[in-house]
Amino acid sequence: MSPQAPTPEDWLAADPDPVTRAELRQLIDAGDQAGIDNRFGDRLRFGTAGIRGPMGAGPNRMNRVVVRQTAAALATHVGQGAKVVIGFDARQNSDVFAQDVASVLAAAGCRPMMLPPKSPTPVLAFSVTHLEADAGVMVTASHNPAGDNGIKVYLGDGAQIIPPHDQAIEAAIASQPLPTRELASASPERVDVSAEYTSAILANVAIRGPFHPLAYTPLQGVGLPLLSQALEQINNGRPYVVEDEAEPDPLFRNVVSPNPENHDTLARVIRRAEQIDTPLALASDPDADRLAAAVWAYDNEWRILTGDEIGALLCDWMLETTPGGTERVVANSIVSGRLVGRIAEARGATHVETLTGFKWIARAADNLVPRSDGLPWRLVFGYEEALGFACNGAVRDKDGISAAVQFVALCRALVMEDGRTPIERLAELMDEFGLHRTYQVSVNLGSRTGSEIMDAIRTARPVRLGETEVVRTTDYRDGVEGLPNADVLRFDLADDSRVSLRPSGTEPQIKGYIEVVGDIQFPDPLLTLSEAVRELILGL
């Protein structure tokens, strides 16, 4: 049997984990061919943000064999002597996977360096450039369920890998034999850059206005210590936390979901905010690279902001507090809303759209044509609607900690200016640029693949979505405006609405991104279009 297609027995011989060996042995002894095929019929691949998936046996699960294969392929890619920083969060097996990465790298002649346990993902991204490393590895599954884990790989520029690097690493994984079970354990160099990271993310924070109390939850992840330190350094004290969500727990036993996009997940931090009578509640996801926000609105109710709304507020704030002109770059993904681009244009900055994922957003200023005035392009702000924000050039990835600090600074400034709230500032932006509302719908595919459904949509060539005519269809698989090819379709509608569709990079879903511009109507076109998207996908 070739290395590309290991048998279950081959895998058993290579697997050092007694738990996943027992799982696979049970499947073999029971003759469970469906279970075996599910684990061996494919392998995990690099998606929007690394490789991630449920933990278990086989190449289509996250386990120590897959981790060792990935580390060996990375070592081949970066070469002997390469310096590689490794971080890991508080998930199940994250520490074991990180140690395996270090041991494989050391055995291949690389120089592994290990961050402290339970590090946030943005600290790993920062450490790569700060330590002048050749690559970085973060063991995390971000906001996925407790049974998942994964690996993010970073290049020496501090951003996640893109083609052809991910393709080369995947090819190296597929072409090598399975690793041996026995592996000499390495003692990687221990490095701690948390103080330098905190100083870096505070370097561009404009502090105006009084102390602003806030409630916060790290969702039983790793965000609390560094966010607390950063807030204390801007004289805003430690946040009021949801006590039983404050400490890391790999099983996330006290949260509804580790995903802050789930509104039910924020219910307890909102109650905590009510207890201390503060109008601001923030949440980061378990590896602290995303930020969710709920604010007390002027109509006497809590409002959970969308990623596009937080993006608009932070974009406006970053451009206000960052001097400069068109060399300032604002970037967002092609499935995010249009308001940020309109703010950037009005504030004299350059706006760039990228493919989905911060591996693209972080590099938005890198490949622009050099300026005639000799000024370097500067990425001042980047975001994607899935609660990812980049507010500091020292971290070339989304960063929920620095975004939280900037959001607190924004709230302090608004309080100083006639006691305004983020909702009132958002309303001012909508008055200036028009009412922009966005909504996301996810359609589960069952046994079908995302690429199959996307191809079926291309064949169907819808001319209407709901009752509204499609006036332009953009297929990013053909390459658009110099962007790499991507499996994304965008439909611009006659009423200035927009619908974008793409397969999820981590789940068997098609995601639909809907934007409506203009006064609120009844029936609400956001809901009408979301139903039209569901009907389109489920009808294929």
Side-chain angles (χ1 to χ4, degrees):
M1 187 64 83
S2 69
Q4 291 90 336
T7 67
E9 294 290 349
D10 291 336
W11 199 271
L12 278 174
D15 191 350
D17 188 337
V19 174
T20 47
R21 285 204 309 272
E23 171 195 333
L24 184 53
R25 173 51 64 192
Q26 183 177 11
L27 291 171
I28 294 171
D29 291 347
D32 186 349
Q33 193 58 45
I36 292 172
D37 289 345
N38 185 263
R39 289 160 175 79
F40 285 82
D42 199 356
R43 68 160 45 253
L44 294 178
R45 304 178 191 280
F46 287 100
T48 307
I51 59 172
R52 69 176 80 158
M55 287 181 283
N60 205 27
R61 296 287 190 273
M62 278 300 303
N63 51 67
R64 295 182 68 182
V65 178
V66 166
V67 168
R68 290 180 176 190
Q69 287 181 311
T70 305
L74 175 62
T76 299
H77 189 66
V78 296
Q80 289 192 0
K83 188 161 60 172
V84 183
V85 191
I86 305 163
F88 61 95
D89 64 8
R91 282 182 174 267
Q92 299 178 81
N93 287 326
S94 283
D95 55 344
V96 176
F97 291 169
Q99 182 58 49
D100 274 348
V101 170
S103 297
V104 170
L105 291 173
C110 296
R111 178 186 166 190
M113 298 182 292
M114 188 78 76
L115 293 180
K118 304 176 183 178
S119 287
T121 291
V123 176
L124 183 280
F126 168 79
S127 72
V128 173
T129 52
H130 181 74
L131 297 172
E132 299 181 339
D134 299 289
V137 173
M138 182 69 197
V139 181
T140 179
S142 191
H143 59 285
N144 279 34
D148 289 10
N149 214 325
I151 287 179
K152 295 180 179 180
V153 179
Y154 294 75
L155 296 177
D157 65 355
Q160 292 185 53
I161 55 173
I162 55 175
H165 303 280
D166 53 357
Q167 298 162 346
I169 292 173
E170 284 186 347
I173 293 173
S175 65
Q176 63 183 311
L178 288 173
T180 58
R181 183 182 297 181
E182 300 303 322
L183 176 66
S185 180
S187 297
E189 178 184 350
R190 304 289 171 172
V191 291
D192 187 351
V193 299
S194 55
E196 293 85 348
Y197 162 81
T198 303
S199 296
I201 67 169
L202 296 180
N204 68 334
V205 180
I207 304 302
R208 307 172 187 167
F211 167 90
H212 196 292
L214 70 147
Y216 168 70
T217 175
L219 297 181
Q220 296 194 276
V222 298
L224 178 60
L226 286 181
L227 178 58
S228 295
Q229 292 175 27
L231 290 173
E232 287 178 334
Q233 289 190 36
I234 63 170
N235 297 318
N236 212 81
R238 296 177 65 86
Y240 294 87
V241 297
V242 180
E243 292 296 341
D244 62 1
E245 295 180 1
E247 293 301 319
D249 176 13
L251 299 180
F252 304 114
R253 282 169 283 206
N254 296 328
V255 300
V256 173
S257 162
N259 187 352
E261 291 182 275
N262 183 335
H263 284 195
D264 291 341
T265 296
L266 305 182
R268 298 184 72 201
V269 73
I270 289 173
R271 287 200 297 271
R272 185 72 175 113
E274 292 173 339
Q275 291 170 359
I276 62 173
D277 194 26
T278 180
L280 178 62
L282 300 179
S284 58
D285 65 343
D287 68 329
D289 67 350
R290 298 183 187 220
L291 175 72
V295 296
W296 182 252
Y298 49 77
D299 48 2
N300 292 326
E301 65 178 18
W302 283 95
R303 169 94 169 271
I304 297 175
L305 299 177
T306 68
D308 288 308
E309 289 171 334
I310 299 172
L313 288 166
L314 285 175
C315 174
D316 183 60
W317 170 249
M318 296 307 302
L319 290 175
E320 177 189 339
T321 59
T322 306
T326 55
E327 82 282 359
R328 300 174 301 168
V329 174
V330 168
N332 60 260
S333 64
I334 57 177
V335 299
S336 298
R338 285 169 282 180
L339 180 54
V340 158
R342 290 166 181 175
I343 293 171
E345 181 180 0
R347 306 294 189 256
T350 296
H351 176 242
V352 176
E353 278 194 318
T354 76
L355 298 183
T356 302
F358 261 80
K359 60 187 179 184
W360 303 109
I361 294 171
R363 296 183 172 94
D366 294 358
N367 298 317
L368 296 177
V369 175
R371 296 172 57 86
S372 59
D373 58 12
L375 291 174
W377 296 104
R378 294 182 293 145
L379 181 64
V380 171
F381 178 70
Y383 98 102
E384 59 186 7
E385 49 70 43
L387 301 179
F389 312 98
C391 300
N392 189 287
V395 181
R396 288 170 60 85
D397 202 355
K398 55 185 177 287
D399 184 352
I401 297 173
S402 64
V405 173
Q406 292 287 359
F407 201 87
V408 171
L410 162 65
C411 291
R412 287 172 63 163
L414 289 173
V415 169
M416 182 181 69
E417 299 166 2
D418 302 323
R420 290 182 297 158
T421 68
I423 295 298
E424 289 170 311
R425 181 57 189 149
L426 191 60
E428 292 169 358
L429 292 172
M430 298 295 186
D431 286 342
E432 184 177 357
F433 299 103
L435 180 61
H436 291 64
R437 296 184 300 136
T438 58
Y439 186 74
Q440 184 192 127
V441 57
S442 297
V443 182
N444 291 323
L445 303 178
S447 61
R448 300 175 299 174
T449 68
S451 59
E452 289 172 350
I453 296 299
M454 292 296 290
D455 286 344
I457 295 172
R458 290 182 174 95
T459 301
R461 298 181 65 84
V463 295
R464 304 185 73 84
L465 285 174
E467 299 299 318
T468 310
E469 180 187 0
V470 175
V471 295
R472 182 170 63 254
T473 299
T474 305
D475 190 346
Y476 286 87
R477 193 174 65 176
D478 300 332
V480 176
E481 296 179 353
L483 295 177
N485 297 347
D487 196 3
V488 179
L489 286 166
R490 173 187 283 176
F491 302 101
D492 287 287
L493 308 184
D495 61 358
D496 201 28
S497 299
R498 174 177 284 179
V499 175
S500 299
L501 302 176
R502 75 173 182 91
S504 170
T506 57
E507 300 163 285
Q509 296 177 339
I510 295 289
K511 291 182 176 289
Y513 305 84
I514 302 164
E515 181 179 33
V516 172
V517 180
D519 295 336
I520 295 178
Q521 305 170 32
F522 298 96
D524 190 339
L526 277 179
L527 299 181
T528 301
L529 284 173
S530 69
E531 286 306 311
V533 167
R534 289 184 185 277
E535 291 174 5
L536 172 65
I537 295 170
L538 295 175
L540 295 171

